[in-house]
Amino acid sequence: VTMKLSFKHTQIACYLGYVSQAIAATFLPLLFVRLGSEFGFSISKLTVLITITFCTEIFIDAVCPFLTNIIGYRKSMVFANICSVAGTAGLAVFPYIFSNPYTGFVICAVFYAIGGGFDEVLVSPIVEACPTKNKARAMALLHSFFCWGCAAVVLFSTLFFRFAGIQNWRILAVAWALIPFVNTFLFMFVPIRTLEEEKGKGRFGNMIKNPTFWLMCIVMICAGASELAMSQWASAFAETGLGVSKTIGDLLGPCAFAVLMGLSRVVFSRIDDKTDISKILICGAVLCIGAYLMASLSGNAVVSLIGCCLCGIAVAPMWPGAFSMASQKIPNASTAMFAAFALAGDMGCTAGPSIVGFVSGAGDNNISRGLLCSVAFPALMIVSLIIMNLHTKRKNK
């Protein structure tokens, strides 16, 4: 069966891997207000769910290279999709079989975070190792599927809530689990090539001695924080902070954010391998600062929603761009390097929305205050990229 499938099918499986991760990252936040009314969860408890999700992903990022060396890429990806199925479909079951429903949500978050962690570490190097000509284009296109996944989750979930009622959200959780379920079987048969086979194995010890490696880690932290701080809280911010209906808030908040991020990543995928990606990332970080300021300080619902949308454009090149930059600047990029950057990115994904949630909770549940603090992440990215460029110029003299 493996011989009948090409690397195009491998890429499709990887695209679906990011869609599965998008489901895990996007679906539950759409229910935050509902879970608050149905189970009495506070904004701080909901924030802890986000924190648990990304802390689990951080742990998986750290151990994934070692596990993959033992069991291989294929078994790792099959296991990842099984965990995604258990976590997503489990939302309809686990909260109702424990005396404390919150325990059930924690278990689900851990399951789909394990799946997402494996996806995040392994999907990018699998695509990078596929025999394609333009690696930066392939990487940007791959990461755009996370955005399309987020947009699809918001759009179809919103339509479901509108016509079937949000009280039936458990049916939708099982429906979304079908995507990783199908992908489980796809990954059993597609051809898989590793970076080590394509480029030769690079020494991780040499990478961590490279200052560029550490600067790229900071860039990844800022990329994850800048993106997730907005995407995780856009729905609740629109509904409670801006006073618009859930349907309008979800469509003009997280859905528009994801669509614009996806479109921007498709545009970014048109660049060639010789493009100076750092300049694109600096421009994105500047726009990101402006977007967060618009969303948090305007006091006008329309302007704030425009800020949410612009943030999607701004953060689009950050994650795939950082991966492509690393492949260009660090010799013999290995799976371990991608795991390290996924670890750094997930630290940002944890820090960004967690800081928004805790600052908002401390300020009488004012999410605008939490979003305002997020300006620090794109600002730090700009500083890191400038330092990296100066280091590169000195090195090339």
PDB file of all heavy atoms in Angstrom, residues 297-336:
ATOM      1  N   LEU A 297      -7.299  49.258  23.255  1.00  0.00           N
ATOM      2  CA  LEU A 297      -7.431  50.644  23.713  1.00  0.00           C
ATOM      3  C   LEU A 297      -8.520  51.451  23.026  1.00  0.00           C
ATOM      4  O   LEU A 297      -8.884  52.529  23.518  1.00  0.00           O
ATOM      5  CB  LEU A 297      -6.092  51.386  23.525  1.00  0.00           C
ATOM      6  CG  LEU A 297      -4.895  50.864  24.332  1.00  0.00           C
ATOM      7  CD1 LEU A 297      -3.648  51.681  24.002  1.00  0.00           C
ATOM      8  CD2 LEU A 297      -5.176  50.910  25.831  1.00  0.00           C
ATOM      9  N   SER A 298      -9.056  50.970  21.905  1.00  0.00           N
ATOM     10  CA  SER A 298      -9.960  51.814  21.120  1.00  0.00           C
ATOM     11  C   SER A 298     -11.266  52.111  21.848  1.00  0.00           C
ATOM     12  O   SER A 298     -11.797  53.218  21.744  1.00  0.00           O
ATOM     13  CB  SER A 298     -10.264  51.160  19.766  1.00  0.00           C
ATOM     14  OG  SER A 298     -11.086  50.027  19.942  1.00  0.00           O
ATOM     15  N   GLY A 299     -11.800  51.127  22.567  1.00  0.00           N
ATOM     16  CA  GLY A 299     -13.089  51.332  23.227  1.00  0.00           C
ATOM     17  C   GLY A 299     -14.267  51.261  22.272  1.00  0.00           C
ATOM     18  O   GLY A 299     -15.417  51.421  22.671  1.00  0.00           O
ATOM     19  N   ASN A 300     -13.978  51.008  20.991  1.00  0.00           N
ATOM     20  CA  ASN A 300     -15.018  50.912  19.973  1.00  0.00           C
ATOM     21  C   ASN A 300     -15.034  49.481  19.444  1.00  0.00           C
ATOM     22  O   ASN A 300     -13.990  48.949  19.046  1.00  0.00           O
ATOM     23  CB  ASN A 300     -14.735  51.912  18.848  1.00  0.00           C
ATOM     24  CG  ASN A 300     -15.777  51.857  17.736  1.00  0.00           C
ATOM     25  OD1 ASN A 300     -15.770  50.948  16.921  1.00  0.00           O
ATOM     26  ND2 ASN A 300     -16.661  52.852  17.717  1.00  0.00           N
ATOM     27  N   ALA A 301     -16.211  48.849  19.428  1.00  0.00           N
ATOM     28  CA  ALA A 301     -16.306  47.441  19.053  1.00  0.00           C
ATOM     29  C   ALA A 301     -15.784  47.181  17.642  1.00  0.00           C
ATOM     30  O   ALA A 301     -15.057  46.217  17.404  1.00  0.00           O
ATOM     31  CB  ALA A 301     -17.749  46.961  19.172  1.00  0.00           C
ATOM     32  N   VAL A 302     -16.133  48.052  16.694  1.00  0.00           N
ATOM     33  CA  VAL A 302     -15.723  47.863  15.304  1.00  0.00           C
ATOM     34  C   VAL A 302     -14.206  47.960  15.177  1.00  0.00           C
ATOM     35  O   VAL A 302     -13.550  47.112  14.558  1.00  0.00           O
ATOM     36  CB  VAL A 302     -16.411  48.889  14.379  1.00  0.00           C
ATOM     37  CG1 VAL A 302     -15.864  48.769  12.947  1.00  0.00           C
ATOM     38  CG2 VAL A 302     -17.922  48.686  14.382  1.00  0.00           C
ATOM     39  N   VAL A 303     -13.635  49.007  15.777  1.00  0.00           N
ATOM     40  CA  VAL A 303     -12.183  49.206  15.701  1.00  0.00           C
ATOM     41  C   VAL A 303     -11.446  48.066  16.401  1.00  0.00           C
ATOM     42  O   VAL A 303     -10.419  47.581  15.911  1.00  0.00           O
ATOM     43  CB  VAL A 303     -11.791  50.563  16.325  1.00  0.00           C
ATOM     44  CG1 VAL A 303     -10.265  50.734  16.350  1.00  0.00           C
ATOM     45  CG2 VAL A 303     -12.420  51.712  15.548  1.00  0.00           C
ATOM     46  N   SER A 304     -11.968  47.611  17.526  1.00  0.00           N
ATOM     47  CA  SER A 304     -11.332  46.511  18.251  1.00  0.00           C
ATOM     48  C   SER A 304     -11.345  45.224  17.431  1.00  0.00           C
ATOM     49  O   SER A 304     -10.361  44.483  17.394  1.00  0.00           O
ATOM     50  CB  SER A 304     -12.039  46.278  19.591  1.00  0.00           C
ATOM     51  OG  SER A 304     -11.838  47.366  20.462  1.00  0.00           O
ATOM     52  N   LEU A 305     -12.476  44.948  16.759  1.00  0.00           N
ATOM     53  CA  LEU A 305     -12.554  43.755  15.916  1.00  0.00           C
ATOM     54  C   LEU A 305     -11.621  43.856  14.714  1.00  0.00           C
ATOM     55  O   LEU A 305     -11.030  42.863  14.285  1.00  0.00           O
ATOM     56  CB  LEU A 305     -13.995  43.529  15.454  1.00  0.00           C
ATOM     57  CG  LEU A 305     -14.962  43.007  16.527  1.00  0.00           C
ATOM     58  CD1 LEU A 305     -16.397  43.036  16.031  1.00  0.00           C
ATOM     59  CD2 LEU A 305     -14.578  41.594  16.962  1.00  0.00           C
ATOM     60  N   ILE A 306     -11.464  45.068  14.177  1.00  0.00           N
ATOM     61  CA  ILE A 306     -10.497  45.273  13.098  1.00  0.00           C
ATOM     62  C   ILE A 306      -9.085  44.982  13.614  1.00  0.00           C
ATOM     63  O   ILE A 306      -8.265  44.372  12.917  1.00  0.00           O
ATOM     64  CB  ILE A 306     -10.577  46.712  12.533  1.00  0.00           C
ATOM     65  CG1 ILE A 306     -11.896  46.900  11.782  1.00  0.00           C
ATOM     66  CG2 ILE A 306      -9.389  47.006  11.611  1.00  0.00           C
ATOM     67  CD1 ILE A 306     -12.146  48.324  11.327  1.00  0.00           C
ATOM     68  N   GLY A 307      -8.811  45.389  14.852  1.00  0.00           N
ATOM     69  CA  GLY A 307      -7.516  45.088  15.464  1.00  0.00           C
ATOM     70  C   GLY A 307      -7.287  43.588  15.574  1.00  0.00           C
ATOM     71  O   GLY A 307      -6.195  43.093  15.284  1.00  0.00           O
ATOM     72  N   CYS A 308      -8.342  42.835  15.962  1.00  0.00           N
ATOM     73  CA  CYS A 308      -8.232  41.365  16.026  1.00  0.00           C
ATOM     74  C   CYS A 308      -7.889  40.790  14.658  1.00  0.00           C
ATOM     75  O   CYS A 308      -7.041  39.899  14.534  1.00  0.00           O
ATOM     76  CB  CYS A 308      -9.546  40.758  16.517  1.00  0.00           C
ATOM     77  SG  CYS A 308      -9.962  41.123  18.238  1.00  0.00           S
ATOM     78  N   CYS A 309      -8.559  41.302  13.619  1.00  0.00           N
ATOM     79  CA  CYS A 309      -8.330  40.810  12.256  1.00  0.00           C
ATOM     80  C   CYS A 309      -6.918  41.129  11.777  1.00  0.00           C
ATOM     81  O   CYS A 309      -6.235  40.273  11.196  1.00  0.00           O
ATOM     82  CB  CYS A 309      -9.352  41.424  11.303  1.00  0.00           C
ATOM     83  SG  CYS A 309     -11.060  40.957  11.656  1.00  0.00           S
ATOM     84  N   LEU A 310      -6.476  42.361  12.007  1.00  0.00           N
ATOM     85  CA  LEU A 310      -5.129  42.756  11.588  1.00  0.00           C
ATOM     86  C   LEU A 310      -4.065  41.925  12.284  1.00  0.00           C
ATOM     87  O   LEU A 310      -3.003  41.652  11.719  1.00  0.00           O
ATOM     88  CB  LEU A 310      -4.902  44.243  11.877  1.00  0.00           C
ATOM     89  CG  LEU A 310      -5.620  45.239  10.958  1.00  0.00           C
ATOM     90  CD1 LEU A 310      -5.348  46.670  11.416  1.00  0.00           C
ATOM     91  CD2 LEU A 310      -5.174  45.059   9.511  1.00  0.00           C
ATOM     92  N   CYS A 311      -4.359  41.511  13.504  1.00  0.00           N
ATOM     93  CA  CYS A 311      -3.410  40.675  14.244  1.00  0.00           C
ATOM     94  C   CYS A 311      -3.185  39.348  13.502  1.00  0.00           C
ATOM     95  O   CYS A 311      -2.074  38.821  13.471  1.00  0.00           O
ATOM     96  CB  CYS A 311      -3.929  40.412  15.656  1.00  0.00           C
ATOM     97  SG  CYS A 311      -2.721  39.634  16.740  1.00  0.00           S
ATOM     98  N   GLY A 312      -4.248  38.825  12.871  1.00  0.00           N
ATOM     99  CA  GLY A 312      -4.106  37.596  12.092  1.00  0.00           C
ATOM    100  C   GLY A 312      -3.130  37.763  10.942  1.00  0.00           C
ATOM    101  O   GLY A 312      -2.320  36.870  10.656  1.00  0.00           O
ATOM    102  N   ILE A 313      -3.186  38.912  10.253  1.00  0.00           N
ATOM    103  CA  ILE A 313      -2.243  39.197   9.168  1.00  0.00           C
ATOM    104  C   ILE A 313      -0.833  39.334   9.723  1.00  0.00           C
ATOM    105  O   ILE A 313       0.139  38.817   9.158  1.00  0.00           O
ATOM    106  CB  ILE A 313      -2.645  40.492   8.422  1.00  0.00           C
ATOM    107  CG1 ILE A 313      -4.026  40.316   7.777  1.00  0.00           C
ATOM    108  CG2 ILE A 313      -1.598  40.868   7.379  1.00  0.00           C
ATOM    109  CD1 ILE A 313      -4.571  41.586   7.157  1.00  0.00           C
ATOM    110  N   ALA A 314      -0.720  40.018  10.846  1.00  0.00           N
ATOM    111  CA  ALA A 314       0.594  40.339  11.423  1.00  0.00           C
ATOM    112  C   ALA A 314       1.354  39.095  11.867  1.00  0.00           C
ATOM    113  O   ALA A 314       2.562  38.972  11.643  1.00  0.00           O
ATOM    114  CB  ALA A 314       0.422  41.313  12.592  1.00  0.00           C
ATOM    115  N   VAL A 315       0.649  38.155  12.509  1.00  0.00           N
ATOM    116  CA  VAL A 315       1.343  36.991  13.070  1.00  0.00           C
ATOM    117  C   VAL A 315       1.550  35.876  12.043  1.00  0.00           C
ATOM    118  O   VAL A 315       2.293  34.926  12.297  1.00  0.00           O
ATOM    119  CB  VAL A 315       0.585  36.426  14.300  1.00  0.00           C
ATOM    120  CG1 VAL A 315       0.431  37.484  15.370  1.00  0.00           C
ATOM    121  CG2 VAL A 315      -0.773  35.854  13.900  1.00  0.00           C
ATOM    122  N   ALA A 316       0.913  35.996  10.884  1.00  0.00           N
ATOM    123  CA  ALA A 316       0.935  34.915   9.884  1.00  0.00           C
ATOM    124  C   ALA A 316       2.333  34.412   9.541  1.00  0.00           C
ATOM    125  O   ALA A 316       2.581  33.203   9.535  1.00  0.00           O
ATOM    126  CB  ALA A 316       0.195  35.353   8.619  1.00  0.00           C
ATOM    127  N   PRO A 317       3.293  35.298   9.218  1.00  0.00           N
ATOM    128  CA  PRO A 317       4.608  34.785   8.807  1.00  0.00           C
ATOM    129  C   PRO A 317       5.516  34.379   9.962  1.00  0.00           C
ATOM    130  O   PRO A 317       6.585  33.814   9.721  1.00  0.00           O
ATOM    131  CB  PRO A 317       5.214  35.974   8.042  1.00  0.00           C
ATOM    132  CG  PRO A 317       4.600  37.179   8.682  1.00  0.00           C
ATOM    133  CD  PRO A 317       3.214  36.761   9.092  1.00  0.00           C
ATOM    134  N   MET A 318       5.118  34.644  11.197  1.00  0.00           N
ATOM    135  CA  MET A 318       6.053  34.500  12.314  1.00  0.00           C
ATOM    136  C   MET A 318       6.521  33.063  12.520  1.00  0.00           C
ATOM    137  O   MET A 318       7.717  32.775  12.538  1.00  0.00           O
ATOM    138  CB  MET A 318       5.424  35.039  13.601  1.00  0.00           C
ATOM    139  CG  MET A 318       5.257  36.548  13.617  1.00  0.00           C
ATOM    140  SD  MET A 318       4.508  37.111  15.176  1.00  0.00           S
ATOM    141  CE  MET A 318       4.523  38.892  14.934  1.00  0.00           C
ATOM    142  N   TRP A 319       5.583  32.135  12.697  1.00  0.00           N
ATOM    143  CA  TRP A 319       5.944  30.744  13.017  1.00  0.00           C
ATOM    144  C   TRP A 319       6.619  30.049  11.833  1.00  0.00           C
ATOM    145  O   TRP A 319       7.748  29.562  11.969  1.00  0.00           O
ATOM    146  CB  TRP A 319       4.695  29.987  13.488  1.00  0.00           C
ATOM    147  CG  TRP A 319       4.966  28.681  14.173  1.00  0.00           C
ATOM    148  CD1 TRP A 319       5.383  27.530  13.590  1.00  0.00           C
ATOM    149  CD2 TRP A 319       4.834  28.391  15.579  1.00  0.00           C
ATOM    150  NE1 TRP A 319       5.507  26.536  14.534  1.00  0.00           N
ATOM    151  CE2 TRP A 319       5.176  27.025  15.745  1.00  0.00           C
ATOM    152  CE3 TRP A 319       4.438  29.131  16.687  1.00  0.00           C
ATOM    153  CZ2 TRP A 319       5.133  26.398  16.994  1.00  0.00           C
ATOM    154  CZ3 TRP A 319       4.397  28.501  17.922  1.00  0.00           C
ATOM    155  CH2 TRP A 319       4.740  27.151  18.070  1.00  0.00           C
ATOM    156  N   PRO A 320       5.983  29.997  10.638  1.00  0.00           N
ATOM    157  CA  PRO A 320       6.670  29.344   9.509  1.00  0.00           C
ATOM    158  C   PRO A 320       7.929  30.082   9.086  1.00  0.00           C
ATOM    159  O   PRO A 320       8.912  29.465   8.661  1.00  0.00           O
ATOM    160  CB  PRO A 320       5.615  29.342   8.398  1.00  0.00           C
ATOM    161  CG  PRO A 320       4.677  30.437   8.754  1.00  0.00           C
ATOM    162  CD  PRO A 320       4.648  30.470  10.255  1.00  0.00           C
ATOM    163  N   GLY A 321       7.915  31.411   9.211  1.00  0.00           N
ATOM    164  CA  GLY A 321       9.091  32.188   8.845  1.00  0.00           C
ATOM    165  C   GLY A 321      10.279  31.880   9.737  1.00  0.00           C
ATOM    166  O   GLY A 321      11.424  31.773   9.268  1.00  0.00           O
ATOM    167  N   ALA A 322      10.009  31.711  11.023  1.00  0.00           N
ATOM    168  CA  ALA A 322      11.088  31.384  11.959  1.00  0.00           C
ATOM    169  C   ALA A 322      11.664  30.000  11.644  1.00  0.00           C
ATOM    170  O   ALA A 322      12.885  29.804  11.680  1.00  0.00           O
ATOM    171  CB  ALA A 322      10.564  31.434  13.393  1.00  0.00           C
ATOM    172  N   PHE A 323      10.805  29.036  11.313  1.00  0.00           N
ATOM    173  CA  PHE A 323      11.278  27.700  10.950  1.00  0.00           C
ATOM    174  C   PHE A 323      12.150  27.752   9.694  1.00  0.00           C
ATOM    175  O   PHE A 323      13.207  27.115   9.621  1.00  0.00           O
ATOM    176  CB  PHE A 323      10.086  26.762  10.718  1.00  0.00           C
ATOM    177  CG  PHE A 323       9.614  26.058  11.967  1.00  0.00           C
ATOM    178  CD1 PHE A 323       9.382  26.761  13.134  1.00  0.00           C
ATOM    179  CD2 PHE A 323       9.382  24.697  11.973  1.00  0.00           C
ATOM    180  CE1 PHE A 323       8.939  26.130  14.289  1.00  0.00           C
ATOM    181  CE2 PHE A 323       8.937  24.044  13.116  1.00  0.00           C
ATOM    182  CZ  PHE A 323       8.724  24.761  14.277  1.00  0.00           C
ATOM    183  N   SER A 324      11.697  28.532   8.700  1.00  0.00           N
ATOM    184  CA  SER A 324      12.457  28.634   7.452  1.00  0.00           C
ATOM    185  C   SER A 324      13.788  29.342   7.668  1.00  0.00           C
ATOM    186  O   SER A 324      14.817  28.952   7.110  1.00  0.00           O
ATOM    187  CB  SER A 324      11.632  29.375   6.392  1.00  0.00           C
ATOM    188  OG  SER A 324      10.467  28.647   6.064  1.00  0.00           O
ATOM    189  N   MET A 325      13.779  30.396   8.485  1.00  0.00           N
ATOM    190  CA  MET A 325      15.017  31.112   8.810  1.00  0.00           C
ATOM    191  C   MET A 325      16.018  30.173   9.469  1.00  0.00           C
ATOM    192  O   MET A 325      17.213  30.196   9.161  1.00  0.00           O
ATOM    193  CB  MET A 325      14.729  32.291   9.746  1.00  0.00           C
ATOM    194  CG  MET A 325      14.277  33.562   9.056  1.00  0.00           C
ATOM    195  SD  MET A 325      14.069  34.901  10.251  1.00  0.00           S
ATOM    196  CE  MET A 325      15.765  35.147  10.769  1.00  0.00           C
ATOM    197  N   ALA A 326      15.525  29.367  10.392  1.00  0.00           N
ATOM    198  CA  ALA A 326      16.412  28.442  11.099  1.00  0.00           C
ATOM    199  C   ALA A 326      17.034  27.441  10.140  1.00  0.00           C
ATOM    200  O   ALA A 326      18.227  27.121  10.238  1.00  0.00           O
ATOM    201  CB  ALA A 326      15.626  27.715  12.192  1.00  0.00           C
ATOM    202  N   SER A 327      16.235  26.943   9.188  1.00  0.00           N
ATOM    203  CA  SER A 327      16.759  25.988   8.216  1.00  0.00           C
ATOM    204  C   SER A 327      17.823  26.627   7.333  1.00  0.00           C
ATOM    205  O   SER A 327      18.769  25.969   6.901  1.00  0.00           O
ATOM    206  CB  SER A 327      15.618  25.449   7.338  1.00  0.00           C
ATOM    207  OG  SER A 327      14.723  24.696   8.110  1.00  0.00           O
ATOM    208  N   GLN A 328      17.667  27.937   7.075  1.00  0.00           N
ATOM    209  CA  GLN A 328      18.642  28.658   6.253  1.00  0.00           C
ATOM    210  C   GLN A 328      19.924  28.954   7.013  1.00  0.00           C
ATOM    211  O   GLN A 328      21.028  28.845   6.483  1.00  0.00           O
ATOM    212  CB  GLN A 328      18.044  29.985   5.753  1.00  0.00           C
ATOM    213  CG  GLN A 328      16.943  29.839   4.711  1.00  0.00           C
ATOM    214  CD  GLN A 328      16.321  31.170   4.345  1.00  0.00           C
ATOM    215  OE1 GLN A 328      16.658  32.211   4.907  1.00  0.00           O
ATOM    216  NE2 GLN A 328      15.391  31.143   3.403  1.00  0.00           N
ATOM    217  N   LYS A 329      19.791  29.332   8.278  1.00  0.00           N
ATOM    218  CA  LYS A 329      20.922  29.873   9.028  1.00  0.00           C
ATOM    219  C   LYS A 329      21.677  28.846   9.869  1.00  0.00           C
ATOM    220  O   LYS A 329      22.824  29.069  10.257  1.00  0.00           O
ATOM    221  CB  LYS A 329      20.443  31.011   9.950  1.00  0.00           C
ATOM    222  CG  LYS A 329      19.949  32.241   9.192  1.00  0.00           C
ATOM    223  CD  LYS A 329      19.457  33.306  10.154  1.00  0.00           C
ATOM    224  CE  LYS A 329      19.003  34.561   9.433  1.00  0.00           C
ATOM    225  NZ  LYS A 329      20.116  35.261   8.773  1.00  0.00           N
ATOM    226  N   ILE A 330      21.025  27.712  10.178  1.00  0.00           N
ATOM    227  CA  ILE A 330      21.667  26.712  11.041  1.00  0.00           C
ATOM    228  C   ILE A 330      21.953  25.461  10.218  1.00  0.00           C
ATOM    229  O   ILE A 330      21.029  24.832   9.692  1.00  0.00           O
ATOM    230  CB  ILE A 330      20.772  26.375  12.251  1.00  0.00           C
ATOM    231  CG1 ILE A 330      20.529  27.647  13.085  1.00  0.00           C
ATOM    232  CG2 ILE A 330      21.407  25.297  13.105  1.00  0.00           C
ATOM    233  CD1 ILE A 330      19.589  27.458  14.242  1.00  0.00           C
ATOM    234  N   PRO A 331      23.225  25.083  10.072  1.00  0.00           N
ATOM    235  CA  PRO A 331      23.587  23.943   9.225  1.00  0.00           C
ATOM    236  C   PRO A 331      23.001  22.624   9.739  1.00  0.00           C
ATOM    237  O   PRO A 331      22.858  22.420  10.944  1.00  0.00           O
ATOM    238  CB  PRO A 331      25.125  23.916   9.309  1.00  0.00           C
ATOM    239  CG  PRO A 331      25.520  25.273   9.799  1.00  0.00           C
ATOM    240  CD  PRO A 331      24.397  25.742  10.670  1.00  0.00           C
ATOM    241  N   ASN A 332      22.664  21.739   8.797  1.00  0.00           N
ATOM    242  CA  ASN A 332      22.178  20.386   9.124  1.00  0.00           C
ATOM    243  C   ASN A 332      21.045  20.400  10.145  1.00  0.00           C
ATOM    244  O   ASN A 332      21.113  19.743  11.184  1.00  0.00           O
ATOM    245  CB  ASN A 332      23.317  19.507   9.632  1.00  0.00           C
ATOM    246  CG  ASN A 332      24.301  19.160   8.529  1.00  0.00           C
ATOM    247  OD1 ASN A 332      23.978  19.255   7.353  1.00  0.00           O
ATOM    248  ND2 ASN A 332      25.494  18.767   8.910  1.00  0.00           N
ATOM    249  N   ALA A 333      20.015  21.207   9.853  1.00  0.00           N
ATOM    250  CA  ALA A 333      18.863  21.275  10.746  1.00  0.00           C
ATOM    251  C   ALA A 333      18.267  19.879  10.929  1.00  0.00           C
ATOM    252  O   ALA A 333      17.966  19.196   9.959  1.00  0.00           O
ATOM    253  CB  ALA A 333      17.817  22.217  10.171  1.00  0.00           C
ATOM    254  N   SER A 334      18.118  19.458  12.165  1.00  0.00           N
ATOM    255  CA  SER A 334      17.635  18.107  12.454  1.00  0.00           C
ATOM    256  C   SER A 334      16.263  18.156  13.108  1.00  0.00           C
ATOM    257  O   SER A 334      15.737  19.216  13.426  1.00  0.00           O
ATOM    258  CB  SER A 334      18.615  17.402  13.407  1.00  0.00           C
ATOM    259  OG  SER A 334      18.611  18.046  14.659  1.00  0.00           O
ATOM    260  N   THR A 335      15.691  16.981  13.313  1.00  0.00           N
ATOM    261  CA  THR A 335      14.410  16.886  14.018  1.00  0.00           C
ATOM    262  C   THR A 335      14.526  17.484  15.416  1.00  0.00           C
ATOM    263  O   THR A 335      13.597  18.118  15.916  1.00  0.00           O
ATOM    264  CB  THR A 335      13.975  15.415  14.116  1.00  0.00           C
ATOM    265  OG1 THR A 335      13.871  14.877  12.794  1.00  0.00           O
ATOM    266  CG2 THR A 335      12.627  15.291  14.810  1.00  0.00           C
ATOM    267  N   ALA A 336      15.678  17.302  16.056  1.00  0.00           N
ATOM    268  CA  ALA A 336      15.880  17.849  17.405  1.00  0.00           C
ATOM    269  C   ALA A 336      15.780  19.370  17.396  1.00  0.00           C
ATOM    270  O   ALA A 336      15.255  19.969  18.339  1.00  0.00           O
ATOM    271  CB  ALA A 336      17.245  17.414  17.942  1.00  0.00           C
TER     272      ALA A 336
END
